[in-house]
Structures are given as structure tokens and as C-alpha cells.
Amino acid sequence: MFEEFKWLPDQASTVAPEVDMLMLFIVVVTVVITALVGALTLGFAIAFRRKSESYIPAPWFGCIPLEIGWTLIPVGICLVMFSWGVKVYSNIVIPPADAMELYAVGRQWMWKIQHPEGQREINALHVPIGRPVKVTLTSEDVIHCFSIPAFRVKQDVVPGRYSSLWFQATKAGTYQLFCSEYCGTEHSRMIGKVIVMEEADYQKWLSEGAESGQALQGRKLYTKLQCVTCHTGNAEAKAPNLEGIYRKHIPISHIDGVKIKEGTKVFADDSYIRESILYPNAKVAAGWESIMPTYQGLVTEEELLQVIAYIKSLNQGQTPPRTEETPTPATIQNKVPNKEVN
Amino acid sequence: MATVSLESKTFEKFPDVVGRHDDANYLNHDHSITSWLFTLDHKRIGLLYLVTITLMFLLGGALAGAIRLELLTPKGDFLTADTYNKAFTAHGIIMLFFFLIPSIPAVLGNFLVPLMIGAKDVAFPRLNLLSYYLYFAGSVIALTALLLGGVDTGWTFYTPFSSTYSNSYVIVMAVGLFVVGFSSILTGLNFIITVHRMRCPGLTWFRLPLFIWSIYATSVVQLLGTPVIAVTLGLLGVERTLGVGIFDPRLGGDPILFQHLFWFYSHPAVYIMILPSLGVTSEVIATFSRKNVFGYHIIAFSSIAIAVFGFIVWAHHMFTTGISPYAAMVFSLLTFSVAIPSGIKVFSWLATMYGGSISFDTPMIYAFGFLGLFTIGGLTGLFLSTLGTDIHLHDTYFIVAHFHYIMVGGAIMGYMAGIHYWWPKMTGKMYSEFWGKLSAGITFIGFNFTFFPQFILGYLGMPRRYYEYPDEFQVLNVFSTAGASILAIGYSMPLFYMTYSFFFGEKASSNPYGGSTLDWTNTTSPPSPHNFEQTPVVTEEPYHYHGKEAAVVSH
Amino acid sequence: MSATNETVQDHGQHHHKDLAHHFDTLEQQHDANTLGMWAFLLTEVLFFGGLFAAYTIYRYKYSAMFEEASNHLDITLGATNTVILILSSLTMALAVRCSQTGNSLWTGRWLLITIAFGLMFLGVKYVEWKHDYHIHLMPGKDWSGKDYWHWQYAKKAKDMETEAHKKGSAEHSLPNRNDVLADNDPSLGVRGIQESQQARLFFLLYFCMTSLHALHMLVGFVLIGIIAYFAYQGAYSPEYYSPVENIGLYWHFVDIVWIFLFPLLYLLGAHMGH
């Protein structure tokens, strides 16, 4: 046990040194105040120890300057900590716009991670150095928490909604991935490895054993689940054209069956697409009747992510024809044997 | 073994109080079982609580022992995963709801509040007895839940795990907590009315001992906060039975709603646990420095401030759940506001000691321990109210260390200080100072060994509630378990020497430590059943040591 | 702080028969009892408050469905109950007044009339709940799991009721279980699972809140009954009437909770009295 022992965690992300600096500041404040209180306690205990039973000390009711001092100085220190903390916090939670996107699904008791190029991993996460990575998270059952101590990031993974965290790795190596929200029997085994690689190594890893990309899987689902029946993208369409809608503002006419003000728009992000698949009545596109059936219970979270990835990739004129059945997959190189598929 | 001869000194500024009827006191005037089980005497009710919560503490401590034994090794080899999860759940529930929350209010509060304000009893003695039986019934129901097979949700009962997925006895336990919650509410209600309406002549609000102020603040929190957890547990029970979807996202519910409702009570609950200890510390430091408390008014107001601020910071337990960053910033700022009154208290106590005449009896040793450990515990809270660091530290062992420093190093040390301070008053006997100081020291050392390594473990990233962990965390875990064994010894010792003193200890005078409050100056040790021979009339502010002649008389 | 030479001799004074031993004066006792009841009612505000908070959050999250579900509650019966409860508060206030003036007989009588009004309230609630039970909107065993066709059933029942009213007949039958589409039937276009989930949530909160309220009424009956008994025995007088006054406070609180429940649960939505 002694070989692996360490006092301080690895600093492996851009935000880790910032967090550590802030930690250091608070540690210094803590140590100084504790030492002060300890020294005064000890010092007063000795200096003012009872020497005579008959001695009555003079009373001391208050001292305004002292009390103001020991109120305002802590207030000042707290305000510094607060604002510094907010600054570091905003760096932790606000991802850069160009972050590479990954998806992670937590379930009792494993992490399933999907790369957009098609790599899927269980309890492991390969990332390149030097590129910001944003992980979109959801849970299939209870609340979990995706936590990478070496990167100083953590985010609860809640069923029924998407959350996200981001990081930019700075040091190659293997780091711990923990589930940090108690989730049942095997909570302590819901751990994994984060493998940070040089960019070249990462590209190599990607190309080995890549399955058909996530978007391609999503396309298969788009036809298999009959989305293409209504969202045909041509004149006979019974449902809105989904080509190029990602991150656009979509005019909607009804929310939950209630007609709303004309011209209201909604931002078509991942959550909106997911919501429209599961709760089609939630925000109905303007000019269309609300006839879409719900897919609740008919798709898993992973399949949802694949369909969403497909829709995100769908450009003008790319909607598959209605008659197309599940297409043969595009060329797959060197499928790695024994790769765990779920 | 040679016994140390203890002199029961009386500080003659406060003359000895002699009972009217020789030895008839609240303990011995009636020995029958029914006189104890159906007592309306607040002092006897306090003792009933003392016995029951001590038993619950031992159970909670045994569970802690099981946890720390398992964590000696990285692999799960002592308990199964499910048993471990049930063990830490039970440890949390028992220690919080059945030990810490009642501890000082139910034992010392019940005993002392009427004595300190010159009253014959609390405002509603029958309600007081009902409170005790509700506590007892709640304990029985909770123990039943454990015996049936336990609960594995953690004491926080997060949904949807607890509402939909857990196969353990959540509802039975929720019922037990619901019942014991009402005990807490009624005790708080009783104390509030007592302090408002039963003060003796001349006892204005700003002549009250600071212990009463802290009990009053605690009671307000108990009164207002506990009903919310009651209804939250009720909703959890409804969800488990009917499966409707209040908290289940698959059915349209919101699991985070549970967390908001839960923490709205559970954060103020931790102030229920610490405020009374802050009050005890004021009393002990004043008496054993023989000096007034510095900044009396500010300390009184700071207790109220902590109680009030405690209600508006709950979401600092939820910074990583996905609440809006703006909400997180607001709660972070508000959380810092609680640190300020606590800091003011610590500095005021130091100023109280300054220029005093300090003696090192056991209660004061515990108070010293409290000062150091509460300071560390409170300061480590700063890491958690700071957003930038909380993200990394949330749900790690850092949190575990922080709250144990406050609750064990703080609240329990305060409780021990109080028990040792008022033991002669409650029992009429003196315990052994040697064993008292020794166990205080052992407890202090054992405590720090147990919980300080956990700060480092948390910073390294070891998550909470893990029964297996990566090898690199083992060294610190071994340290922690070693410390726990020392702590266990430290806590076991009082069971022996205090019980011994109850039967064989030297008889105590009415005021062996020279306390200045009515409980010491106007009652016998132990007090008579109706407390005071004559209703006291108060004419001075508290802790008024100065201005009188003094001589020492040894008995 | 210490006592001076002044003390109060308190073992020789005359004890009023209603003065408890630990109090010094009747006035102190009365104050303490009243303050105690107010403090208890404050805890009740927070107790109901938790439920109100959960209700409010979902009411805004799912406003459309909550309004639609609210239409399935009978506003006439709800309003009737509101009037009944207000009348019961009136009779309670009269009882308190009688106890203050020493009129034991009428203290007891007004208290019993208050219970009678309370029982009428619960009777009306029984009628409402029985109806809800028959149209499968009452939370119960067949609500758990994924089988939630109940919302469709309730809607069909309401449609049939409306039809019957149009035709002028008071009686209407209940729909057949098999005529009703299951909520997760894919051929359902607009009204999906989501809506029935939200409607179920409304009814669960409705039943939780009204049951808790009804439970408080039942406890109230027992307490009022006991106090009425003592009133008839002449236990209360102008010097000592605080039990009557305090049960009055409790009963008024129960009334006020209903005054909040009624609009929140029954009066949502644009289609009132529909």
C-alpha cells in the first residue's frame, strides 16, 4: 500500500491548478486562524490559570474596535473566497464553444461512454491532451455522479434530464473515474479509468476498432423506428423537415396542447430533440398538426443519443428515402475482437 | 489502587444551598417504577432521555466500528456490499436523529431550562413526557426497521433510489423518523413557551444565561424545520406505496424536488445539533474562568442569527445536482454568512478567558477541545461554501471529515462538557477528575487521528459511501481506523467512571465549580423535586462574579 | 446573576382549582397555553407548507394538465364544503364566546354543532371521493406500475356525464374498461403518456392534501368532543376557558387550510363550473 500512496492528487486538467490554488489559499486561512485560536487558547490557559481561589477577575464586557475587527476581517476574507470561488466555478462549468462532444450514460453500476466517431467504452474514457472535451450525461435509473478527481470536475447524473461537464486534459496518464453519488449495492464498483493520450495516439486508438459511427447507428434507427415515414423531407411530409435543424430557432405553435403567442421560437438543442421524441406534445412546431406518437419505452437512452447524433449530422437533402431499409454499414476497419458491445 | 481524594470545594461567593427536608431530592423522593415512567418532573424526564440516548449512541458507535473495520482494507472482505450500505445508513440515522438532535436539548435542556430561569417546571409537563415517549416509540420503530433487514439508501434517502429502486425497509424507517420528529417539535415548542412565560421575577431576556439563548434558538429551528421533513418522508412513503411519480422521472416527477425538500430541514437540523453545544461552551468557559462572558449581547444575537441563516442555505448541499449557476452563487454567498456569527463566538470566548482565573476541571478540558475542533470544523466549511472547491470536494471524504469535526469534535464534545459540568447537579455526586481528564484527552487524540486523514482522503478524491476503494487510499484509511479504536476507548470510559460515581462517588456540594447561574446558586445538588425553596428574584446580569468578596471553604 | 435577599413566598398562597402546580397565576397559565397553541399552529403551517410547495412546483411545471385535471373536481360540492366549514368556524367562535361569559350549556352545544358541521363536510367529501373512486381517479393499488389507463377512463366518464346532462338525464353509466385506450397505446396521437402522468400527479396531490386536512378534522372532532364534555360538566369559567379558546384556534386553522385548498385545487383553469 505504501508504493501507491500519495498526498496530493494529480493535476491533469487546465482547471486543476486553479482549483488547487484556491484550495491552498483556504488552507492557509484555515491554518492561520486555527493556529491563532490554538495558540491563544493555550496561551491564555497558562497565563491566566487559577493561582488563588480568592481572586476574582475584573469583568470585560466588550471592546468595540476588537469586535468590529473580528467581524469585518472574516467578512473580507469570506468575500475574497466567495468571488475567487465563483471565478473558478465559472471556469469549471462553462465549456468552450468548440469542445469535442462525448456522451456518457450511467446506470447501476457502470458507465457507458460513446464517442461521436463511434467508439463505445464501458467504464473507460479515452481522451486526447489539449482539446476541450464536453461530456453530456444522463442516467438510466437512479442519480449517479460522474467524477474525475484528477481533473477536479464532477457532475451529478440525473435520470430524465441531460447534464454536462467539460475538461481539457493536460497530462498524459491514467486517472480515476468515480461514481460519486450513492446509487446502491455496487456503488463503489462503479469506477473506471480516464486515459489521456497524445493526439496522435488518440487518433490511432479511434481508428482501431471503431464501430459504425454513432450517427450511422442513429440513421439505422431513423428508418427502423419509422421516423422517416413522416419526416420525409419532401412535399408529402406529414412532419417537419429535420435537415439542418440542430441549433436553429424553431417556431412553435403549442406547448403541452396550449396554443401560444405566434412567433414564439425554441432553440433546437440536444434536450429539445430528446424531449420531442419522448414527449412530442411538449413543443409542437408551427404549421404542423400534433400527431407524432411518443417513443417512451420504445428507445433506450443510448439509442436516443444515437438518433440525436444522426439528426445533428443531417444536412440538406440527406433524409433517407422512405423505402430504404436498414442500410448496410459503411466500411468498418479492423474491428477489434472482444470489444464489449452493449 | 489508591483513590485520589477529591475535595468538593465551594466558591464561597455563592453560599451552599441546603435543602429544607435534608436529603429529599428529585431522585430519591419516590423509588417506584411508575413514579419514573409516568413522571412529570422535567429533571427525571431528562434522565430518562440520558439513558435512552446513551444506548442509541452505543449502537451508532458499534456501526461506526463496523464501517471502519471494513475500510481497513481496500477490498470488501469484512461485510457484504449490502450490509455495509445498511451499516452506514443506520449509523447516520441513529447518530443524527436518535442521538445528536435530542442530546443536549432533551437531556440538559430538560433538566436545566426551568432551573436556570427560576421556574418549577417547563410550561407543559405532560407534553414533555409525551415527547419522551414519542422518542422512545420512534426508536423502537427504527430499531424494528433495522432488525427486519435495514435500510440501504443512506440517511439522505435520495430519490429515485429510495422511492423506486431500493428493496429495503424504507417505509418502516420513515415512520420511525416521523414519530421521533414530533418528539423534537414538541420539545422545542415546550422550551419556547417556557422561556417566554415562566421566567422568575426580574429575569429579563438579557439577564438569561447564554445556554438558554442557545436552547431557545435551537427550539425555534426544531419547531419550524422538522414538520418539513415529516411531510417529505410522508411523500416518500406515498411514492413507494403508490408509485405515482412525485419523484420518479419516468412518471413525470422530479428527483431533485426531493433533495430541496429534504435539505430544507436537514440543513437547519445541523444547527439544532451545534447551537446547544455553543451554549454549553459559554457556560463552561464563564464558570471555569470565573468571569463574565465577553460580548454577551452579541453572543445571544449570534445564536438567533445562526438559527435564521440556517434556513436559507440548504442548496449548498446540491451544488453539483444541476441547479442553475446563479442559484449556486446565491447559496454560496449566503452560506458564508453563517460563518461570521460562529467566528464571533469563538473570539468572544477567547476574550472571556483573557484575564480570567482559569481552572482545568474536566468540563473545561472538553471546552478547550471544543474550541479547537469546532474552529477546524467550521473553517473547513469554507472550502465547501466556496463554489470552486466544492465541486471537487463534494461527496468525498472531505465532507465526511468536515461534518464529523463539527458534530463529533464540536457537538459531542460540547455534550460531554455539559454532562461533566452538570453531573454534580444532576446526581449529587462527583466523578473522578483523573478519569475525566484522561478520557477527554484520549477522545481528543483519537478523534483527530480518525478524522484528520479523511480531509486528505477527500482531497485525493476518495468518494463517500465506498466500501471498496483503490489501493492508493489505504494508508490514510488505516490511520483513520486506528484513530477510531482510540476514540472508542475514549468514549467508553465515561460509561464506567460516571456510572461508578453515580453510586459510589463523593457527595457534591450545591455549587462545587462556582457557577453563577440560578441552577447552581439556588438549588441543592441534586435539586429538590420542586426545584426552589423560594422563587428566586433576579436583580443582576448573568455571570456577575465581580463586585463581591470571596473566600474559599473546603468541605 | 444571583438571587438577593428578595424571594417570593409561594407555598402559602391560595391555589385556584384550575391552576396547574407549576404556574404562578391563572394569567400566566392562560398566556402559556395560548402561546403554545399558536406555536403548534406554526408547525402545522410548515407541515402543510411542504405539500403546498410540492403542489405549487408541479402546478407551474404542468399547468395545462393541472387545469384540465382540476375540471374533474366538482366545484359545487367544493364550494358547499367551503360554506359548511366557514359556518362551523362561526359556531366555534360562538362556543368560545359562551365559555368566556360562563355559559356552560351553550358552550357545549355550540361545540357539538361545530362537530355536526364538520361531519357534514366529511360527508360531502365522501360523496366526492366515492365518485372519484368509481372513475378510477383515486390513488390506490391499481395505480402503481406502468398500467395507467385511468386518465383515459376518467375522461371518457366525464364525457359520458356531460352527454347525459345535455340530454337532461341525471343518471349516466360508467364506460367499459375495454372501450378505453391504454395511455401508452401508440395510436394515441395527441394525448400521450405524459398527460396522464401529469393528471395522476394532480390527483395524488389532491388526495394527499385533502386527506391530511380530513385527518386534522378527525383529530379536531375528538378534541372538541372531549372539551364539550368538560364544558357540560361546568369545567370552564370566565377565569379559565383557555382549552375552549385553544381548540377554537385549532379549528379556525383547519378552516383556513381549506380556504387555501379550495381555490388551488378546484378553481384552476379557465373552464369553471363546466
Side-chain angles (χ1 to χ4, degrees):
Chain A
M1 61 178 179
F2 281 102
E3 314 80 58
E4 307 189 359
F5 173 66
K6 50 180 188 259
W7 285 101
L8 297 170
D10 292 311
Q11 274 184 356
S13 78
T14 49
V15 97
E18 291 180 40
V19 173
D20 288 354
M21 210 31 135
L22 180 52
M23 278 290 287
L24 187 61
F25 170 65
I26 309 179
V27 166
V28 166
V29 168
T30 305
V31 166
V32 165
I33 297 183
T34 306
L36 183 69
V37 170
L40 288 177
T41 306
L42 208 57
F44 290 170
I46 296 172
F48 302 109
R49 65 191 180 284
R50 188 167 299 174
K51 301 176 185 89
S52 151
E53 284 296 329
S54 56
Y55 170 64
I56 307 285
W60 190 21
F61 294 101
C63 168
I64 301 291
L66 200 56
E67 296 183 65
I68 291 181
W70 72 43
T71 308
L72 289 185
I73 294 176
V75 167
I77 295 176
C78 285
L79 286 174
V80 170
M81 274 183 212
F82 167 72
S83 25
W84 191 346
V86 167
K87 181 158 170 294
V88 175
Y89 174 69
S90 43
N91 291 345
I92 293 176
V93 298
I94 302 176
D98 58 341
M100 171 180 128
E101 295 206 26
L102 296 181
Y103 298 91
V105 174
R107 54 167 284 204
Q108 287 173 324
W109 286 279
M110 62 170 79
W111 294 104
K112 296 190 285 192
I113 291 146
Q114 298 183 7
H115 295 250
E117 298 83 355
Q119 285 286 43
R120 295 161 82 192
E121 317 187 61
I122 304 276
N123 293 339
L125 173 60
H126 285 78
V127 289
I129 291 184
R131 262 206 273 164
V133 175
K134 179 177 153 197
V135 187
T136 301
L137 305 152
T138 188
S139 164
E140 284 182 13
D141 39 38
V142 299
I143 300 181
H144 301 277
C145 183
F146 194 83
S147 152
I148 307 173
F151 296 167
R152 311 288 187 275
V153 292
K154 182 181 280 128
Q155 178 66 40
D156 278 10
V157 171
V158 182
R161 67 176 78 175
Y162 284 166
S163 49
S164 70
L165 62 61
W166 86 277
F167 56 82
Q168 179 168 324
T170 52
K171 203 166 92 180
T174 305
Y175 308 104
Q176 300 277 14
L177 162 66
F178 290 127
C179 171
S180 280
E181 184 60 61
Y182 174 70
C183 54
T185 311
E186 302 278 306
H187 167 60
S188 21
R189 293 194 177 143
M190 193 167 158
I191 66 176
K193 293 268 173 269
V194 180
I195 300 125
V196 179
M197 313 165 106
E198 300 291 341
E199 184 69 44
D201 293 328
Y202 179 68
Q203 290 301 334
K204 187 154 165 288
W205 175 83
L206 269 186
S207 61
E208 284 168 2
E211 295 176 24
S212 44
Q214 230 190 331
L216 188 55
Q217 296 288 356
R219 183 194 161 111
K220 292 185 206 171
L221 286 165
Y222 197 78
T223 52
K224 180 171 148 214
L225 293 171
Q226 307 276 305
C227 317
V228 77
T229 314
C230 296
H231 293 279
T232 60
N234 58 23
E236 292 104 32
K238 298 202 201 77
N241 188 348
L242 299 181
E243 294 161 3
I245 62 157
Y246 186 59
R247 302 196 142 229
K248 297 283 188 305
H249 286 92
I250 314 283
I252 53 173
S253 61
H254 289 76
I255 290 182
D256 284 334
V258 177
K259 196 158 158 50
I260 54 169
K261 195 174 83 163
E262 215 178 288
T264 311
K265 294 197 178 145
V266 74
F267 184 63
D269 59 3
D270 296 52
S271 289
Y272 169 71
I273 300 176
R274 178 176 180 277
E275 183 187 51
S276 301
I277 297 172
L278 295 176
Y279 307 111
N281 206 37
K283 297 186 181 74
V284 178
W288 297 95
E289 277 189 54
S290 148
I291 54 166
M292 178 171 167
T294 174
Y295 282 86
Q296 259 211 21
L298 302 170
V299 279
T300 64
E301 288 290 344
E302 278 178 277
E303 285 171 335
L304 272 172
L305 290 170
Q306 288 164 349
V307 173
I308 293 170
Y310 174 61
I311 293 174
K312 281 159 74 163
S313 73
L314 197 56
N315 291 320
Q316 284 291 356
Q318 285 184 348
T319 309
R322 270 189 64 178
T323 50
E324 182 184 301
E325 292 181 2
T326 319
T328 45
T331 42
I332 305 169
Q333 297 98 357
N334 308 323
K335 188 160 178 166
V336 173
N338 301 324
K339 187 159 180 66
E340 205 172 352
V341 175
N342 228 39
Chain B
M1 159 177 123
T3 50
V4 177
S5 161
L6 299 161
E7 288 187 325
S8 181
K9 294 193 282 287
T10 300
F11 181 39
E12 218 208 45
K13 179 177 135 62
F14 303 122
D16 208 14
V17 180
V18 180
R20 185 193 290 182
H21 304 293
D22 284 349
D23 284 325
N25 57 56
Y26 83 98
L27 281 173
N28 62 17
H29 71 102
D30 189 336
H31 287 285
S32 64
I33 288 277
T34 43
S35 74
W36 275 97
L37 294 182
F38 296 109
T39 181
L40 295 180
D41 182 349
H42 64 99
K43 304 181 287 297
R44 285 193 166 194
I45 292 177
L47 284 198
L48 288 175
Y49 272 110
L50 176 63
V51 170
T52 325
I53 71 169
T54 305
L55 292 171
M56 293 306 258
F57 178 66
L58 291 174
L59 179 57
L63 290 161
I67 294 171
R68 288 272 22 123
L69 275 176
E70 172 60 71
L71 292 175
L72 266 176
T73 59
K75 291 278 162 278
D77 36 25
F78 177 54
L79 305 168
T80 63
D82 274 328
T83 309
Y84 181 84
N85 295 337
K86 290 176 182 175
F88 73 69
T89 303
H91 170 72
I93 291 176
I94 289 180
M95 284 307 206
L96 293 175
F97 292 104
F98 296 98
F99 175 66
L100 273 171
I101 286 177
S103 62
I104 296 183
V107 178
L108 295 174
N110 264 318
F111 194 90
L112 294 167
V113 168
L115 292 182
M116 279 186 166
I117 64 174
K120 297 194 200 83
D121 208 306
V122 291
F124 308 116
R126 283 172 299 184
L127 208 64
N128 207 6
L129 186 65
L130 177 65
S131 280
Y132 173 71
Y133 279 113
L134 285 174
Y135 169 82
F136 190 84
S139 308
V140 168
I141 298 173
L143 288 173
T144 308
L146 295 183
L147 290 170
L148 283 174
V151 179
D152 68 347
T153 59
W155 82 273
T156 45
F157 293 105
Y158 275 10
T159 57
F161 182 73
S162 65
S163 55
T164 317
Y165 290 84
S166 171
N167 290 324
S168 58
Y169 291 89
V170 175
I171 294 186
V172 179
M173 184 60 88
V175 171
L177 293 177
F178 190 92
V179 171
V180 84
F182 276 98
S183 167
S184 187
I185 292 174
L186 294 178
T187 299
L189 191 154
N190 225 332
F191 287 155
I192 291 176
I193 311 303
T194 306
V195 175
H196 271 279
R197 284 282 173 263
M198 317 265 297
R199 285 167 285 130
C200 64
L203 187 48
T204 59
W205 280 90
F206 290 113
R207 289 178 178 171
L208 285 169
L210 288 167
F211 179 70
I212 300 290
W213 275 100
S214 73
I215 290 285
Y216 183 82
T218 307
S219 301
V220 170
V221 180
Q222 282 177 294
L223 196 75
L224 298 180
T226 321
V228 179
I229 190 79
V231 99
T232 308
L233 290 172
L235 283 176
L236 179 61
V238 167
E239 173 88 340
R240 265 183 89 80
T241 348
L242 300 178
V244 183
I246 315 171
F247 304 124
D248 186 347
R250 300 173 308 181
L251 303 174
D254 186 357
I256 308 294
L257 176 63
F258 177 85
Q259 292 187 29
H260 281 289
L261 288 172
F262 176 83
W263 286 114
F264 187 81
Y265 163 74
S266 299
H267 188 80
V270 314
Y271 295 110
I272 298 177
M273 297 177 225
I274 195 62
L275 275 168
S277 289
L278 300 175
V280 169
T281 306
S282 289
E283 298 297 327
V284 169
I285 292 188
T287 299
F288 292 95
S289 307
R290 234 158 234 183
K291 195 161 155 278
N292 71 304
V293 180
F294 181 97
Y296 169 90
H297 289 74
I298 299 293
I299 293 198
F301 288 133
S302 70
S303 293
I304 303 293
I306 292 173
V308 170
F309 290 150
F311 272 102
I312 55 176
V313 298
W314 76 90
H316 65 226
H317 298 269
M318 299 166 60
F319 283 149
T320 62
T321 58
I323 61 176
S324 113
Y326 301 108
M329 290 179 209
V330 167
F331 278 105
S332 169
L333 188 60
L334 289 171
T335 305
F336 279 107
S337 72
V338 186
I340 308 297
S342 312
I344 290 175
K345 280 184 197 272
V346 171
F347 298 129
S348 300
W349 288 325
L350 289 173
T352 304
M353 285 168 59
Y354 182 85
S357 171
I358 301 175
S359 85
F360 303 110
D361 301 88
T362 305
M364 192 59 164
I365 304 291
Y366 274 110
F368 287 150
F370 176 91
L371 271 179
L373 300 177
F374 173 71
T375 301
I376 297 177
L379 288 170
T380 53
L382 295 174
F383 291 89
L384 306 172
S385 45
T386 305
L387 281 169
T389 44
D390 181 75
I391 303 297
H392 175 59
L393 297 171
H394 175 68
D395 254 333
T396 65
Y397 260 84
F398 194 95
I399 308 272
V400 176
H402 161 72
F403 65 67
H404 280 95
Y405 261 82
I406 305 263
M407 292 203 274
V408 181
I412 300 189
M413 279 243 156
Y415 173 71
M416 295 298 262
I419 294 288
H420 283 77
Y421 179 41
W422 278 291
W423 189 257
K425 181 58 56 182
M426 297 198 293
T427 60
K429 299 287 174 66
M430 303 295 285
Y431 50 86
S432 156
E433 269 296 317
F434 170 75
W435 288 106
K437 294 202 234 287
L438 184 64
S439 81
I442 293 178
T443 306
F444 185 82
I445 292 170
F447 172 84
N448 280 301
F449 255 104
T450 311
F451 292 106
F452 194 82
Q454 295 183 5
F455 283 123
I456 305 174
L457 272 174
Y459 186 49
L460 284 171
M462 179 172 171
R464 290 173 71 170
R465 298 168 165 175
Y466 262 38
Y467 119 108
E468 283 186 344
Y469 54 81
D471 290 339
E472 69 245 33
F473 296 140
Q474 187 177 18
V475 173
L476 290 166
N477 269 296
V478 170
F479 259 119
S480 182
T481 302
S485 56
I486 302 174
L487 187 62
I489 295 175
Y491 278 139
S492 313
M493 287 165 65
L495 287 174
F496 296 104
Y497 67 78
M498 299 296 255
T499 312
Y500 176 87
S501 78
F502 186 86
F503 296 106
F504 307 115
E506 179 178 315
K507 201 155 169 313
S509 66
S510 62
N511 195 354
Y513 299 126
S516 61
T517 45
L518 286 180
D519 48 320
W520 290 110
T521 58
N522 283 58
T523 65
T524 53
S525 294
S528 67
H530 43 272
N531 296 346
F532 301 97
E533 294 306 317
Q534 293 151 336
T535 305
V537 174
V538 171
T539 55
E540 298 169 316
E541 72 274 8
Y543 319 113
H544 199 94
Y545 287 100
H546 50 282
K548 303 241 165 136
E549 296 304 317
V552 177
V553 174
S554 299
H555 289 256
Chain C
M1 139 186 97
S2 60
T4 63
N5 289 327
E6 309 165 50
T7 53
V8 170
Q9 297 293 339
D10 57 8
H11 281 279
Q13 74 184 45
H14 163 69
H15 275 276
H16 192 284
K17 66 173 173 62
D18 295 315
L19 182 64
H21 184 70
H22 55 288
F23 287 115
D24 293 322
T25 65
L26 280 174
E27 193 195 342
Q28 185 193 33
Q29 179 175 270
H30 178 97
D31 277 350
N33 287 341
T34 310
L35 205 56
M37 179 51 83
W38 280 108
F40 176 69
L41 292 180
L42 198 55
T43 72
E44 293 277 54
V45 168
L46 276 131
F47 193 52
F48 276 95
L51 275 180
F52 274 88
Y55 174 83
T56 307
I57 287 168
Y58 282 122
R59 185 248 179 283
Y60 279 102
K61 209 166 153 187
Y62 301 139
S63 35
M65 280 315 297
F66 265 46
E67 286 172 19
E68 184 176 331
S70 167
N71 287 334
H72 284 253
L73 294 177
D74 190 330
I75 287 184
T76 318
L77 290 180
T80 309
N81 260 349
T82 309
V83 170
I84 291 174
L85 216 49
I86 292 179
L87 284 174
S88 77
S89 266
L90 172 63
T91 54
M92 174 60 88
L94 288 169
V96 174
R97 180 76 191 128
C98 285
S99 70
Q100 287 171 339
T101 56
N103 189 341
S104 292
L105 180 65
W106 273 99
T107 305
R109 284 186 179 164
W110 284 123
L111 285 175
L112 291 182
I113 297 173
T114 306
I115 295 183
F117 274 123
L119 286 168
M120 278 170 65
F121 177 96
L122 289 184
V124 171
K125 273 243 95 38
Y126 171 73
V127 166
E128 284 185 276
W129 285 356
K130 187 155 159 248
H131 175 258
D132 292 330
Y133 176 76
H134 280 310
I135 61 170
H136 291 282
L137 278 179
M138 179 166 275
K141 277 185 65 178
D142 67 354
W143 265 41
S144 59
K146 284 258 195 296
D147 186 27
Y148 27 99
W149 47 269
H150 317 85
W151 177 237
Q152 301 300 322
Y153 187 94
K155 282 192 295 177
K156 195 151 169 75
K158 189 165 159 73
D159 288 338
M160 288 171 73
E161 188 183 328
T162 317
E163 289 285 318
H165 272 158
K166 282 202 196 123
K167 292 185 188 141
S169 69
E171 291 294 315
H172 63 93
S173 56
L174 290 173
N176 213 321
R177 162 80 176 86
N178 300 322
D179 293 341
V180 172
L181 280 176
D183 293 336
N184 51 4
D185 188 324
S187 67
L188 257 142
V190 178
R191 304 286 184 181
I193 291 174
Q194 182 191 22
E195 288 157 359
S196 77
Q197 284 172 353
Q198 293 169 9
R200 267 173 35 132
L201 204 51
F202 174 85
F203 278 99
L204 175 83
L205 287 166
Y206 164 76
F207 282 109
C208 279
M209 289 159 92
T210 53
S211 308
L212 191 62
H213 179 256
L215 186 65
H216 280 78
M217 288 186 69
L218 288 174
V219 170
F221 294 157
V222 172
L223 295 175
I224 296 175
I226 293 174
I227 291 177
Y229 170 78
F230 282 120
Y232 276 123
Q233 304 287 322
Y236 307 121
S237 61
E239 289 103 33
Y240 177 65
Y241 58 89
S242 67
V244 188
E245 191 178 53
N246 286 339
I247 198 65
L249 283 175
Y250 176 80
W251 192 255
H252 294 316
F253 173 78
V254 168
D255 191 9
I256 288 182
V257 170
W258 179 260
I259 303 289
F260 277 89
L261 286 182
F262 176 62
L264 279 180
L265 295 171
Y266 287 78
L267 301 182
L268 290 185
H271 320 286
M272 284 177 50
H274 205 268

